[in-house]
Amino acid sequence: MADTVVAHGADHGAHHTTTGLSNNKLGMWVFLGSECLLFGGLISTYMLYRGRANAGPQPDQIYDIPFTSVSSFVLLMSSLTMVLAVSAANRKDDRNTNLWLTVTAVLGATFVGGQVYEFTAFYREGLGFTTSLFGSSFYTLTGFHGVHVTVGIIMLMALVGMVRRNRIPGSKAETVELVGLYWHFVDIIWIVIFTLVYLIPS
Amino acid sequence: MAIIERPSTEIAVAGGATVGVKPSEALGVFKRPAASNSWRDWIVTVDHKKLGIMYGVAAFAFFIIGGVEALLIRLQLMGPDGKVLSADQYNQMFTMHATTMVFLFVMPMVSAFANYFIPLQIGARDVAFPRINAFGFWCWLFGGIFLNTSWFLGGAADGGWFMYAPNSSTLFSPSHGVDFWVLGLQITGIASLTGAINLIVTVLNMRAPGMKLMRMPIFTWMALVVQFLLLFAMPVITVALFLLSFQRTFDATFFDVAAGADPLLWQHLFWIFGHPEVYILILPSFGIVSEVIPVFSKKPLFGYPIVAMSGAAIGFVGWGVWAHHMFASGLGPVSVAVFSMATMAIAVPTGVKIVNWVMTMWGGKLKFSVAMLFAIGLVVQFTIGGLSGVTHSVAPSDTQQTDTYYIVAHFHYVLFGGAIFGLFAGFYYWWPKMFRKQLNEGLGQWNFWLMVIGMNMTFGPMHILGLQGQPRRMGVWTEARAGEGFFNIGFWNMIASIGSLILAVGVLLFIINIVYTHKSKRVPIAPLDPWDARSLEWMTSSPPAEHNFDAIPAINHLDEFFHRKYAEDPTTHEIKQVATAEEVLADMNAHPDEHIHMPSRSYWPILVALALPIICYGLIYNRLLMAVGAAFLLLTMFGWAMEPSTAPDDDFDPPAPSEGGGHTKELAPLG
């Protein structure tokens, strides 16, 4: 088991803390608080510019709501599988932890793939990054979200590798849970983006 | 270098694990560096005190650079038809002066104090994330150097420190200066963000037993509020900088008026960051004087909870006043009224603090040490700056003052007279704690008075210049239009320029004082508790050992150290000294903690941080270099993640624990 390597190292997470939350978990929550403002700024920029397309297609001309709904559904389902992975990790069930982490990563990758497809389709329909304010702000906002999902996928795959090699020091379940927090955050942000960007007509 | 517990190599944990896995071999690619006394130790250190000193030294170097830029500006404006700088150089000079002072001096100097003293003040041995802490320092340093290399690579940024769009576009600022500015601030922004997360978790999670929030020293309180401001303000400027760099690098249209853009978006994003930033700069200094004034008044801080909560209130209301920077931009009457009111409201908690400091001094046994003088200097000069600030909340008046020297006068009174005076109070107050030597009080008096006189001569006349209509960023003025008599702007510009030279001499004296204090053999070792201080950072050796406290103290009072030294006589109700600082320390250290373990040093923070400027140079000059930087970043992050949890065995001395204890040993005092 990975527990063998636990010496008295930099693993402060296992120590008693004032709040009772481990440093790592509190740090992740604090970081996510900061991320809210990052997306807040990007979403505000998009909302300001959403109707402004002097050139190129307008939003309602190119959005493919059914397609994006399906990829949103895929992303939301990945939150469910993430919960299952955290639950399995808490039970110290390596096999199922790995299974659900992998499924989560695949679902996330499907979403990113859908986004790449969508960007390509929009570009073909004449909406480039520099075409209009709508184009610039749309690609920036959804692009930032896509990068966040991609980073999440990398973290999930790293977790899979680490669980497989028993390489997660300290509390394994908590490391999975931290990635889970990040993953759920990215999903929640997508709910906001999907509603504001796609569903509410400009 | 520290008391370090030798890692046990024979843990047999529940689950029937195999034995004999050495921690340094179980994980990772490279060993962690061992402790040493050479300069290499500073490169790989994760000790919050060393990082604090490194922040301080580097920030002071940038203070000198920013100061020289300011002197060049003043020389240019000293007489009519100034020829010291060309118009282009002048634009770069005021942009980089402000950027340097804000992002590369005051903010990191605050980080220096916060890093050094927050763990000491809350009774912690370290910060929550030591490697991330080190990463933050290197990130900031490389970002600052990156930003300043633009001077030699075709010119620095020239759009003013708030870099209004569309003036910042490639059309109006074709050199790479703005690109350097944008990317440099992104890198330092990462440092601020990681620093904020680290210190917030440290304060919330790592307090000594009994150290409730309402027992924390005010400096820690103010630094905590500031970290929250940073946490929420940095992502907003990050977004703004991304938009600008996408526009300049990839031709996005965010601020392109021809495409229908609204350049006010930049102003909103910038000031939503920028106004909290103002409090990020000043609140730590409020915290420092709230430590200094009670100590030199021999009284507890008047209204401690009010001071703490008014700081928090400033932190909240600070988010609702940003548009007072934009009254002249045509926001509309409702917005202007709302932001006017909010701006007046935020003066209240600030005024509350001033009252508390004055009431702390009232009836106290004042000792006018240099630290105290600087603290009083802050109270007086910040009040002047605060009053001119309140005049800005009156929108009709502000519309007249916008972009005049009146604004320059105002923010230099609050930032130089306030923030920087607070930092100097901190230097003099905490110097014996950090370096075992007291800065010379005589030189310090000269240092203080020259700075007060210089600062008021420099920035006082700017009120008059501004009300006379001298524009904020005017590079040249002519005799023909200088005006007559008392309001002749030539006269007041001359006074301001002379004042700036006096100010420079004052700062120079501080450097001389440092050199004298540490070179002269006549300066004795400072006593353990030179000021009869009140808070926890004085309840350990000077300078503190790497693990800060031999025994983590249990906290029963606000001003714990004071309560251990003094007690009330039950019959006469007089406060009497019952123990000296040495006795308190000896008492505390009679039962040192066993099993102290400190984090091991690491190569990775500096390496990961080094990748960032490489990427940024690549973004400006060569996409291939960017790819190299990105690959380097990924590799170093991998190395970081895979790093062993402790240093190799030879870092631990003695090599093996002898029977019967011997788990801890001090290798060498931190020098």
Side-chain angles (χ1 to χ4, degrees):
Chain A
M1 297 291 288
D3 293 342
T4 43
V5 297
V6 179
H8 302 282
D11 180 28
H12 285 261
H15 289 229
H16 172 75
T17 61
T18 317
T19 59
L21 280 176
S22 80
N23 285 348
N24 290 338
K25 196 186 279 183
L26 188 59
M28 182 54 96
W29 278 112
V30 171
F31 169 67
L32 294 180
S34 178
E35 288 273 277
C36 288
L37 271 285
L38 181 86
F39 280 103
L42 290 166
I43 290 171
S44 307
T45 305
Y46 177 81
M47 294 305 281
L48 179 67
Y49 286 157
R50 60 194 306 229
R52 301 196 196 174
N54 289 355
Q58 298 289 331
D60 46 359
Q61 292 170 330
I62 54 167
Y63 283 163
D64 183 355
I65 304 291
F67 176 83
T68 317
S69 301
V70 170
S71 71
S72 304
F73 179 75
V74 168
L75 188 66
L76 293 189
M77 283 306 104
S78 75
S79 263
L80 175 65
T81 56
M82 189 72 227
V83 171
L84 291 171
V86 173
S87 157
N90 279 328
R91 292 190 316 264
K92 299 196 185 304
D93 179 352
D94 279 1
R95 208 176 66 86
N96 277 317
T97 309
N98 263 355
L99 171 69
W100 291 120
L101 286 175
T102 313
V103 172
T104 310
V106 168
L107 290 176
T110 311
F111 172 82
V112 174
Q115 201 170 31
V116 171
Y117 168 79
E118 188 186 41
F119 281 13
T120 323
F122 287 2
Y123 185 73
R124 292 225 180 90
E125 288 173 50
L127 185 74
F129 186 58
T130 57
T131 307
S132 62
L133 284 168
F134 163 61
S136 292
S137 51
F138 171 81
Y139 285 120
T140 304
L141 171 58
T142 51
F144 261 93
H145 182 266
V147 168
H148 274 76
V149 177
T150 309
V151 169
I153 294 170
I154 294 171
M155 294 202 292
L156 289 167
M157 294 196 309
L159 271 185
V160 171
M162 289 161 99
V163 173
R164 189 163 286 163
R165 290 166 162 224
N166 282 337
R167 273 204 162 191
I168 298 188
S171 159
K172 177 163 56 184
E174 194 191 74
T175 314
V176 177
E177 198 185 335
L178 290 179
V179 176
L181 283 178
Y182 174 85
W183 191 261
H184 295 315
F185 171 80
V186 172
D187 279 10
I188 291 168
I189 288 292
W190 181 254
I191 295 176
V192 177
I193 293 177
F194 183 58
T195 310
L196 290 178
V197 173
Y198 291 86
L199 294 185
I200 297 178
S202 50
Chain B
M1 290 284 283
I3 293 182
I4 300 171
E5 184 180 12
R6 187 183 163 73
S8 175
T9 53
E10 52 208 285
I11 322 164
V13 273
T18 52
V19 293
V21 182
K22 290 183 184 172
S24 55
E25 294 168 5
L27 284 167
V29 203
F30 300 106
K31 289 177 177 177
R32 290 183 81 135
S36 72
N37 279 329
S38 72
W39 58 270
R40 284 187 205 86
D41 208 55
W42 292 85
I43 303 287
V44 296
T45 187
V46 293
D47 175 25
H48 70 97
K49 295 176 292 299
K50 282 195 167 181
L51 288 166
I53 292 171
M54 285 150 79
Y55 261 120
V57 171
F60 204 84
F62 281 118
F63 179 48
I64 309 230
I65 295 174
V68 170
E69 285 157 4
L71 288 177
L72 287 171
I73 292 171
R74 277 326 311 171
L75 283 177
Q76 166 78 7
L77 294 178
M78 199 165 183
D81 311 310
K83 295 201 171 46
V84 179
L85 301 167
S86 70
D88 194 30
Q89 285 168 335
Y90 186 82
N91 290 346
Q92 296 173 29
M93 212 53 83
F94 67 67
T95 304
M96 289 301 282
H97 163 67
T99 305
T100 303
M101 287 304 192
V102 170
F103 294 98
L104 305 181
F105 171 54
V106 177
M107 283 173 76
M109 196 51 98
V110 167
S111 296
F113 283 121
N115 253 305
Y116 201 105
F117 289 107
I118 283 182
L120 288 167
Q121 287 197 326
I122 61 172
R125 289 219 157 89
D126 208 320
V127 290
F129 306 110
R131 284 190 300 176
I132 290 179
N133 198 20
F135 167 73
F137 167 74
W138 293 112
C139 212
W140 163 77
L141 182 65
F142 292 149
I145 293 172
F146 172 83
L147 186 55
N148 273 285
T149 54
S150 60
W151 285 112
F152 312 105
L153 297 168
D158 54 4
W161 87 284
F162 43 57
M163 209 55 76
Y164 276 176
N167 197 26
S168 53
S169 66
T170 41
L171 181 64
F172 301 108
S173 185
S175 84
H176 279 309
V178 177
D179 298 318
F180 275 99
W181 184 86
V182 167
L183 296 170
L185 291 192
Q186 289 286 37
I187 300 177
T188 59
I190 294 170
S192 297
L193 181 63
T194 56
I197 293 171
N198 178 33
L199 289 176
I200 288 172
V201 176
T202 303
V203 174
L204 293 184
N205 242 0
M206 298 178 71
R207 281 166 282 144
M211 178 60 87
K212 298 174 183 167
L213 285 176
M214 294 311 281
R215 286 177 185 166
M216 295 196 310
I218 290 288
F219 174 71
T220 296
W221 252 113
M222 293 303 108
L224 178 66
V225 171
V226 163
Q227 301 312 317
F228 273 104
L229 290 176
L230 279 170
L231 182 76
F232 295 127
M234 291 323 290
V236 182
I237 185 78
T238 303
V239 169
L241 293 172
F242 269 124
L243 300 186
L244 180 55
S245 82
F246 287 173
Q247 162 146 348
R248 289 182 60 96
T249 316
F250 306 124
D251 299 322
T253 51
F254 294 110
F255 308 113
D256 181 3
V257 182
D262 203 339
L264 272 190
L265 173 67
W266 171 269
Q267 293 196 24
H268 279 291
L269 288 175
F270 187 87
W271 289 118
I272 289 175
F273 150 79
H275 203 84
E277 170 73 18
V278 173
Y279 295 107
I280 289 166
L281 300 175
I282 188 66
L283 281 179
S285 287
F286 283 0
I288 292 171
V289 299
S290 302
E291 303 286 320
V292 169
I293 288 180
V295 167
F296 294 105
S297 305
K298 294 255 175 222
K299 276 177 68 188
L301 183 65
F302 181 85
Y304 165 87
I306 307 289
V307 178
M309 288 304 117
S310 64
I314 290 172
F316 279 109
V317 185
W319 290 93
V321 297
W322 80 84
H324 68 209
H325 297 270
M326 301 161 59
F327 281 156
S329 64
L331 291 170
V334 176
S335 304
V336 168
V338 168
F339 282 102
S340 246
M341 301 281 277
T343 307
M344 292 176 196
I346 204 167
V348 174
T350 318
V352 164
K353 278 184 157 30
I354 307 270
V355 169
N356 277 286
W357 294 324
V358 174
M359 293 302 278
T360 305
M361 288 188 272
W362 188 266
K365 283 184 202 152
L366 299 193
K367 181 169 180 288
F368 292 102
S369 69
V370 180
M372 182 66 163
L373 288 175
F374 273 109
I376 296 172
L378 178 145
V379 175
V380 174
Q381 291 172 148
F382 184 86
T383 306
I384 297 172
L387 288 174
S388 64
V390 174
T391 67
H392 295 149
S393 70
V394 184
S397 146
D398 182 73
T399 321
Q400 295 296 313
Q401 295 152 3
T402 296
D403 281 342
T404 69
Y405 257 77
Y406 191 85
I407 301 286
V408 180
H410 158 69
F411 66 67
H412 280 97
Y413 264 88
V414 291
L415 290 181
F416 203 106
I420 293 181
F421 268 58
L423 294 174
F424 271 82
F427 293 148
Y428 279 90
Y429 177 60
W430 278 317
W431 205 269
K433 180 85 249 168
M434 297 166 83
F435 303 109
R436 292 181 90 190
K437 296 257 181 102
Q438 246 167 289
L439 288 172
N440 185 285
E441 289 280 306
L443 274 170
Q445 296 268 351
W446 281 95
N447 175 197
F448 169 74
W449 287 110
L450 283 175
M451 274 176 73
V452 170
I453 293 166
M455 122 106 217
N456 284 289
M457 267 179 75
T458 311
F459 304 119
M462 289 183 187
H463 292 107
I464 299 166
L465 288 171
L467 292 177
Q468 282 304 99
Q470 178 171 325
R472 175 174 181 175
R473 281 157 180 169
M474 180 183 72
V476 172
W477 56 273
T478 52
E479 192 63 62
R481 305 181 70 180
E484 295 293 321
F486 181 75
F487 292 113
N488 178 292
I489 66 167
F491 173 70
W492 292 113
N493 271 309
M494 175 63 88
I495 297 286
S497 294
I498 295 170
S500 68
L501 293 172
I502 297 176
L503 193 52
V505 174
V507 175
L508 191 65
L509 274 178
F510 177 68
I511 300 170
I512 292 171
N513 200 347
I514 295 175
V515 174
Y516 170 79
T517 303
H518 289 277
K519 290 290 170 200
S520 167
K521 292 192 171 57
R522 280 182 297 163
V523 179
I525 302 288
L528 192 62
D529 179 22
W531 317 119
D532 196 12
R534 314 175 68 87
S535 46
L536 214 54
E537 77 270 24
W538 296 96
M539 217 158 79
T540 181
S541 55
S542 296
E546 187 173 335
H547 57 284
N548 290 353
F549 299 96
D550 284 357
I552 294 290
I555 311 298
N556 295 308
H557 301 279
L558 172 68
D559 291 342
E560 176 71 18
F561 187 39
F562 172 82
H563 283 278
R564 292 194 183 198
K565 288 187 293 185
Y566 294 89
E568 192 181 279
D569 191 309
T571 50
T572 61
H573 298 288
E574 276 178 26
I575 305 288
K576 279 189 176 165
Q577 183 158 21
V578 292
T580 63
E582 284 76 8
E583 286 164 359
V584 171
L585 194 61
D587 187 39
M588 215 175 95
N589 292 346
H591 306 287
D593 292 344
E594 284 185 30
H595 307 292
I596 299 172
H597 30 99
M598 302 302 296
S600 297
R601 287 143 186 78
S602 174
Y603 298 114
W604 298 108
I606 186 172
L607 289 176
V608 177
L610 191 60
L612 297 173
I614 298 177
I615 293 175
C616 290
Y617 280 119
L619 205 55
I620 293 175
Y621 290 111
N622 184 337
R623 298 288 148 84
L624 187 65
L625 185 64
M626 191 174 91
V628 171
F632 186 59
L633 180 68
L634 275 176
L635 281 175
T636 48
M637 283 172 79
F638 178 77
W640 177 311
M642 290 293 141
E643 188 170 52
S645 59
T646 51
D649 273 3
D650 53 14
D651 192 30
F652 297 90
D653 199 335
S658 54
E659 63 277 8
H663 272 275
T664 60
K665 183 181 181 190
E666 182 135 24
L667 284 180
L670 189 69

